[in-house]
Amino acid sequence: MIELMQSGAYLVGGREIIADGPDAEQAILSKTGKKVTKEEAARQTICYGILENHNTSGNMEKLKIRFDKLTSHDITFVGIIQTARASGLQKFPMPYVLTNCHNSLCAVGGTINEDDHMFGLSCAKKYGGVYVPPHQAVIHQYAREMLAAGGQMILGSDSHTRYGALGTMAVGEGGPELVKQLLNQTYDINRPQVVGVYLTGAPVKGVGPQDVALAIIGAVFRQGYVKNKVMEFVGPGVASLSADFRIGIDVMTTETTCLSSIWETDREIEEFYEIHGRREDYKHLAPGETAYYDGMIRVDLSRVRPMIAMPFHPSNTYTIEELNANLMDILDETEKRGEVSLDGAKGPDGAPLFRLKDKVKNGKFMVDQGIIAGCAGGGFENICAAADILKGASIGFDGFTLSVYPASMPVYMELVKNGCAAAIMETGAVMKTAFCGPCFGAGDTPANNAFSIRHSTRNFPNREGSKLQNGQISSVALMDARSIAATAANQGILTPATDFDGEIGKYKYHFDSRIYANRVFDSKGVADPDVEIQLGPNIKDWPEMGALPENLVLQVVSEIHDPVTTTDELIPSGETSSYRSNPMGLAEFALSRKDPAYVGRAKEIQKAEKSRMAGENPCQAIPGLKEIIDTIRQDYPEVHRTNTGFGSTIFAVKPGDGSAREQAASCQKVLGGWANIANEYATKRYRSNLINWGMLPFLIGEGKLPFKNLDYLFFPDIRKAVEEKADTITAYVVEKSGLEPFELGLGELTDEERQIILKGCLINYNRVD
């Protein structure tokens, strides 16, 4: 089904793979009659050409990218624009789309959600942007329909910013990277490696895009095969897939931890643009005659079967047939893995809180809820296929529920016109408007101990809305819309869509642009500086942040040893996101589901820094701090409040998997965080968020940690180390007996990133006085 090559590979003529090795160049010569070097062949990928066209550095090894367009949703655009305004923003220098698909339900927190929407509308008018009101489209569907273009690049402040199937290289990053683009700065990265995804065959009936995506994720995630690389989809199997099918695979590439994606394009994609009235935005893309890839994933589409990603990660994959055949063993394995993810949480009876084996009734696994939604599940073909499978069925009158969210109002309208919406509703299922809520815990939260199957993007712990700290636990498995529909038709008994023996039709899609023309505000790039920005009472400016001092004294206030820590664990999603426009308000929720003591500990050590900045003695702010400073001064007598800052740090093995939300870093920063210490960072975007908020992204070797939670760490001459690009930094654990040294590093930093850290944050770096 999935094969990972353990070396690089050449793709000749778009159809023949030659493994890298001593005989590769001769084999290519015999096939093509041309001699080609690896360096020349690397320039023949689709990815290389697009990056070259967007690079402003003149050096293809050190890229400085300017994107064509930007897009954000209502969890992130307020912070982005507020940050850019603090740095002198006058006009959006490129098309910038502000969608409202995450906090669409104006229910939690009073007026604050709609206040943010009105902020977005007024900013689109003032700075020359596009504003998509709530319920019209989820961010990525609007971008597919109205924004993507062949050969272009889009930067979005949502991690699932992926439009590669349409020929657009798109990157999901933290908000500060969009701020840089708004301020005419660049996205600075080393040229990424490119991994080919070579597709052959065609999917069998009942297999959908989520099945293919989960199969790939399960094969590559744990070994980091594509981490921070670009996935380039090629091969004869591409032609067997519709545009919607390709889009459904493409959006899930985020869960592999790749940087971006791109696909070869053909008549199928040209037709997609024609349907959407944008024929001129199509561009034929294909690798050159001989292209070199740093890795190669072979996917035989005909061998993929309906998949399920069990809690609590999209990489915990099995075929549904395999799960049903080995039910108790796999459920037991999942429960044990879940205990690790949930830190061994126990229920009132002392038994593990997370239980799945009690879902087995008469040898069948019973599901409580089905959801087809968002940028992954809410596509036209997914819902049409689900309707065909559900036609004439009943989801039953017991506990099982099914909700379907089309990804945009144009998709919804076509489903109404072709009868698929009616077929779904006749079963007892509910059709809802475009909304990302089920994906991040703001809609359709299941009952306690319930199990939900979803064609959405993630199934991290508590992401569906349950609250572990309140004893509430439910869980999500990812599946394709087709198998969700088959399960619903079977009234909650887990069922693969390959068991469905009826017909799944092919429906023609007609895009009606009048919906957006009648509702979406599009400035056409014309700014109106006279517009007054509408600020609700919850929208607050960023607090003042100081520059990096000469020395740092940091207290470790959280220590996380999970194999991977998600951004949802660093700053929970769900109703907490209602406070995303209030930096201090949102910070109160930082690590609340992972380490509830974190906020109090961070605030306590922050007292010392606040005291120092006020010209007072920081040692008087916190009991016991004087003894720490006295110990440090035995070896560093020059340490003084004028040259030494105070704050907090956390340790995590591999933080930052998942969402691009900058708040995972900014919440730590506003609570006095100066650093993270990690064995590695799960994604580039989280590390970039740390840097852009002036936090030191320390790396420490795997093994026994030299410090423990609540220890104080001393970093002498840290400012000098950043300025002078030190490879290794010596820090100290402050023990009663004295200073115990240990070493760590910062990894590669660009000159601009170093300046941002030295200034204290991106706002300070760009501030216009």
Side-chain angles (χ1 to χ4, degrees):
M1 182 164 66
I2 310 288
E3 177 191 349
L4 308 183
M5 292 186 64
Q6 297 308 308
S7 67
Y10 295 87
L11 183 64
V12 179
R15 293 298 179 264
E16 184 168 358
I17 298 171
I18 297 175
D20 190 14
D23 301 325
E25 290 189 17
Q26 183 59 43
I28 294 167
L29 179 61
S30 66
K31 295 286 183 184
T32 66
K34 300 175 184 177
K35 188 172 183 179
V36 63
T37 66
K38 185 183 296 185
E39 291 72 24
E40 290 168 338
R43 293 195 285 271
Q44 295 299 306
T45 64
I46 304 169
C47 171
Y48 189 97
I50 295 176
L51 290 175
E52 186 175 40
N53 290 338
H54 291 80
N55 180 37
T56 65
S57 72
N59 178 355
M60 281 300 290
E61 300 307 310
K62 300 288 183 181
L63 305 178
K64 289 182 173 292
I65 300 295
R66 285 290 291 164
F67 288 84
D68 297 293
K69 298 163 185 171
L70 306 177
T71 185
S72 292
H73 54 62
D74 49 349
I75 282 183
T76 57
F77 67 60
V78 176
I80 290 167
I81 296 173
Q82 286 288 72
T83 302
R85 288 179 65 214
S87 304
L89 175 69
Q90 297 297 314
K91 182 185 184 299
F92 295 155
M94 59 188 67
Y96 187 15
V97 174
L98 310 177
T99 63
N100 296 272
C101 52
H102 277 59
N103 290 301
S104 309
L105 303 180
C106 302
V108 177
T111 70
I112 58 181
N113 288 344
E114 188 65 3
D115 288 343
D116 282 3
H117 299 157
M118 292 302 97
F119 172 93
L121 177 59
S122 61
C123 287
K125 293 176 179 179
K126 185 178 184 69
Y127 298 120
V130 178
Y131 172 84
V132 183
H135 305 288
Q136 294 300 308
V138 301
I139 179 172
H140 304 308
Q141 185 66 15
Y142 186 85
R144 295 162 188 154
E145 295 170 350
M146 304 297 290
L147 210 62
Q152 290 196 358
M153 294 190 72
I154 293 177
L155 182 65
S157 57
D158 183 272
S159 58
H160 291 98
T161 306
R162 292 284 190 271
Y163 317 123
L166 300 177
T168 303
M169 269 189 68
V171 179
E173 272 284 0
E177 291 299 333
L178 277 79
V179 172
K180 291 178 182 177
Q181 296 290 310
L182 292 175
L183 299 176
N184 293 303
Q185 296 164 8
T186 55
Y187 181 67
D188 301 345
I189 55 170
N190 293 334
R191 178 165 64 89
Q193 292 189 337
V194 184
V195 173
V197 186
Y198 189 78
L199 305 181
T200 59
V204 301
K205 190 187 78 171
V207 166
Q210 187 81 326
D211 298 315
V212 177
L214 293 177
I216 294 172
I217 293 164
V220 305
F221 176 79
R222 283 186 175 81
Q223 60 179 285
Y225 192 81
V226 297
K227 180 181 174 182
N228 294 332
K229 302 172 185 176
V230 175
M231 297 175 74
E232 185 160 309
F233 289 77
V234 294
V238 172
S240 73
L241 305 177
S242 68
D244 257 19
F245 203 114
R246 299 178 204 185
I247 286 168
I249 298 171
D250 187 61
V251 70
M252 290 298 291
T253 59
T254 294
E255 302 311 318
T256 68
T257 69
C258 74
L259 179 74
S260 186
S261 63
I262 193 67
W263 293 56
E264 59 181 56
T265 59
D266 54 17
R267 176 58 190 156
E268 182 72 23
I269 301 305
E270 185 176 23
E271 186 178 62
F272 177 94
Y273 282 106
E274 289 174 353
I275 289 169
H276 291 84
R278 300 195 293 122
R279 167 65 183 80
E280 69 281 1
D281 286 332
Y282 171 74
K283 183 176 182 180
H284 177 67
L285 299 173
E289 182 179 9
T290 302
Y292 178 77
Y293 294 93
D294 299 284
M296 185 68 74
I297 304 168
R298 296 175 187 255
V299 182
D300 183 347
L301 295 167
S302 67
R303 294 179 58 200
V304 176
R305 292 296 178 267
M307 302 291 295
I308 183 168
M310 295 295 283
F312 287 101
H313 198 276
S315 64
N316 295 335
T317 55
Y318 306 88
T319 66
I320 297 176
E321 293 171 348
E322 178 187 9
L323 174 60
N324 282 334
N326 303 279
L327 198 51
M328 299 308 286
D329 287 344
I330 292 176
L331 293 182
D332 185 64
E333 179 182 309
T334 303
E335 286 180 348
K336 289 175 180 175
R337 194 163 50 221
E339 280 196 65
V340 175
S341 297
L342 301 171
D343 296 323
K346 298 289 193 289
D349 58 357
L353 193 61
F354 175 54
R355 302 187 302 276
L356 288 180
K357 291 194 289 290
D358 57 6
K359 298 291 177 188
V360 179
K361 309 294 183 186
N362 299 318
K364 305 291 185 181
F365 189 75
M366 301 300 298
V367 173
D368 300 290
Q369 181 192 65
I371 303 286
I372 301 170
C375 59
F380 176 72
E381 286 186 6
N382 288 331
I383 298 176
C384 288
D388 281 347
I389 293 169
L390 284 164
K391 202 167 290 181
S394 165
I395 68 168
F397 47 80
D398 208 339
F400 180 82
T401 62
L402 175 64
S403 296
V404 179
Y405 295 76
S408 71
M409 199 55 78
V411 170
Y412 202 153
M413 177 180 279
E414 189 62 18
L415 293 167
V416 170
K417 288 179 177 178
N418 71 12
C420 286
I424 289 170
M425 289 189 286
E426 285 172 359
T427 70
V430 180
M431 294 286 291
K432 300 183 179 180
T433 53
F435 180 38
C436 297
C439 187
F440 71 100
D444 281 296
T445 303
N448 189 47
N449 288 319
F451 186 82
S452 177
I453 52 174
R454 302 188 176 192
H455 193 155
S456 60
T457 55
R458 291 202 175 114
N459 60 338
F460 296 162
N462 307 122
R463 191 175 169 90
E464 81 301 326
S466 61
K467 294 182 177 181
L468 194 64
Q469 68 272 28
N470 293 346
Q472 302 169 11
I473 179 67
S474 54
S475 57
V476 168
L478 301 181
M479 285 170 45
D480 187 83
R482 293 149 188 80
S483 291
I484 293 173
T487 300
N490 211 2
Q491 299 191 352
I493 298 173
L494 186 68
T495 306
T498 45
D499 283 2
F500 174 67
D501 57 8
E503 290 298 316
I504 299 177
K506 184 171 177 60
Y507 292 79
K508 180 72 174 175
Y509 181 63
H510 304 90
F511 174 74
D512 192 333
S513 62
R514 292 174 298 175
I515 294 173
Y516 294 150
N518 289 333
R519 190 70 187 99
V520 172
F521 172 79
D522 186 351
S523 71
K524 309 296 184 184
V526 177
D528 184 353
D530 293 331
V531 170
E532 184 176 344
I533 293 176
Q534 189 166 331
L535 293 165
N538 184 62
I539 298 175
K540 305 294 183 184
D541 290 331
W542 293 103
E544 290 292 325
M545 301 177 199
L548 182 68
E550 293 178 36
N551 312 300
L552 276 177
V553 175
L554 304 182
Q555 187 178 29
V556 181
V557 294
S558 187
E559 189 179 352
I560 304 170
H561 290 275
D562 292 355
V564 179
T565 302
T566 68
T567 46
D568 281 88
E569 291 170 309
L570 295 168
I571 181 64
S573 55
E575 83 265 30
T576 60
S577 64
S578 295
Y579 295 92
R580 73 263 158 198
S581 306
N582 182 336
M584 293 306 301
L586 184 62
E588 292 290 333
F589 297 95
L591 274 81
S592 59
R593 294 179 187 168
K594 192 66 184 173
D595 186 354
Y598 164 77
V599 171
R601 291 169 177 168
K603 282 184 172 181
E604 183 68 14
I605 186 62
Q606 190 181 28
K607 290 178 183 177
E609 182 67 2
K610 288 182 174 180
S611 177
R612 183 183 83 88
M613 296 299 291
E616 300 167 358
N617 184 354
C619 290
Q620 295 180 354
I622 302 175
L625 187 58
K626 182 178 183 302
E627 288 76 9
I628 297 295
I629 298 302
D630 287 345
T631 300
I632 293 171
R633 281 180 176 156
Q634 291 176 16
D635 293 303
Y636 290 88
E638 69 279 11
V639 164
H640 190 265
R641 66 176 176 82
T642 59
N643 63 16
T644 303
F646 298 84
S648 57
T649 186
I650 69 168
F651 168 79
V653 173
K654 189 179 179 180
D657 186 24
S659 171
R661 282 176 292 136
E662 65 182 88
Q663 295 98 325
S666 66
C667 285
Q668 297 177 53
K669 179 67 174 184
V670 300
L671 291 171
W674 274 112
N676 274 195
I677 303 175
N679 295 143
E680 67 172 302
Y681 292 96
T683 58
K684 177 207 170 293
R685 55 184 173 266
Y686 177 67
R687 183 175 182 271
S688 294
N689 283 337
L690 292 174
I691 293 165
N692 285 322
W693 286 105
M695 298 177 69
L696 295 151
F698 285 126
L699 289 165
I700 192 168
E702 295 183 26
K704 183 173 170 54
L705 280 182
F707 54 80
K708 60 186 182 300
N709 206 18
L710 302 184
D711 276 352
Y712 282 91
L713 311 179
F714 177 55
F715 297 83
D717 297 318
I718 186 61
R719 185 177 182 87
K720 183 179 178 182
V722 174
E723 289 173 334
E724 297 184 354
K725 306 180 181 181
D727 291 328
T728 302
I729 294 168
T730 300
Y732 298 89
V733 182
V734 185
E735 305 279 8
K736 289 183 179 179
S737 57
L739 302 181
E740 294 294 331
F742 66 98
E743 292 185 344
L744 29 62
L746 287 168
E748 185 177 359
L749 294 168
T750 67
D751 291 342
E752 289 82 1
E753 288 173 334
R754 290 181 186 279
Q755 287 302 311
I756 291 167
I757 291 172
L758 292 169
K759 293 281 188 180
C761 63
L762 183 65
I763 294 174
N764 294 354
Y765 176 75
N766 288 308
R767 189 179 297 279
V768 177
D769 295 325

